[in-house]
Amino acid sequence: NDYRYVVRGIQLRLEMLGYLDRSDVSGSLDYVTEQALLAFQGWEDLDRTGTVTGQTQLALFGASRPRPAAHRAGKRVEIHRDLGVLLMVEDGDVVRAVHASTGAGGVTPVGAFRVYVKALMSWSVPFKVWMPFAAYFTGGIATHQSPDVPSYPASHGCVRLPEGEAERVYRFVDVGTPVVVR
């Protein structure tokens, strides 16, 4: 049908802009596409619906790939709290933009940090919850996979990432990789 064609076109544009992988271009409005749309809408400061709105279609037409705040050699992660977006940056280029939910009330600290430990499966003692693909960058605060990644800051401080994207970020970073929270 025509809608599948429209969705496929939107997915191809999201892939070109760094929000989706080519292998995720399916023609169906699935979880991965919804997360990519949330990241795009956050970065472009649109209503964060995770759906294909007219506003989103117009913005996709004129959008360019997200640009990092700084251009430096090597890998780093930029977390933009107000936009709900995590950027994976390599040699000054954004290789992927990911939907993220940071700490409610601004509790995710702003600043420059480094990944100091990675854990495939980490247990949060205070909150009694498993955190897959955790990459800790300050105190007990990490990027990690969560089944609930809303379009607003909602965590106790960690950076929640969607299924699939959390593993991508985990594999991208090493102990020592810079993490900038803005």
Side-chain angles (χ1 to χ4, degrees), residues 59-152:
L60 277 165
F61 183 74
S64 53
R65 188 174 276 263
R67 301 177 66 89
H71 290 270
R72 293 193 184 93
K75 290 183 181 183
R76 77 173 184 288
V77 170
E78 285 184 10
I79 298 163
H80 296 261
R81 298 184 317 167
D82 293 347
L83 302 177
V85 178
L86 178 150
L87 300 179
M88 295 166 49
V89 182
E90 191 161 8
D91 296 329
D93 294 319
V94 172
V95 295
R96 184 67 166 216
V98 176
H99 168 55
S101 178
T102 57
V107 297
T108 305
V110 171
F113 311 99
R114 288 187 181 273
V115 173
Y116 67 86
V117 73
K118 290 172 59 175
L120 271 173
M121 190 63 77
S122 182
W123 177 251
S124 170
V125 173
F127 305 113
K128 297 178 177 44
V129 64
W130 285 106
M131 301 185 313
F133 304 110
Y136 290 87
F137 59 89
T138 184
I141 296 178
T143 60
H144 67 82
Q145 182 174 302
S146 175
D148 181 28
V149 188
S151 60
Y152 52 87

Side-chain angles (χ1 to χ4, degrees), residues 4-75:
R4 263 181 75 80
Y5 181 76
V6 169
V7 171
R8 183 172 163 72
I10 286 166
Q11 288 173 327
L12 286 167
R13 187 75 177 126
L14 287 167
E15 185 255 337
M16 196 180 108
L17 295 170
Y19 296 92
L20 265 184
D21 279 350
R22 185 58 165 220
S23 60
D24 294 322
V25 176
S26 63
S28 71
L29 204 49
D30 53 16
Y31 175 79
V32 175
T33 304
E34 176 187 320
Q35 297 304 310
L37 283 166
L38 282 167
F40 174 77
Q41 291 164 338
W43 187 258
E44 297 293 328
D45 200 23
L46 306 173
D47 294 336
R48 296 182 69 196
T49 62
T51 61
V52 182
T53 63
Q55 179 192 45
T56 300
Q57 288 183 54
L58 283 173
L60 277 165
F61 183 74
S64 53
R65 188 174 276 263
R67 301 177 66 89
H71 290 270
R72 293 193 184 93
K75 290 183 181 183

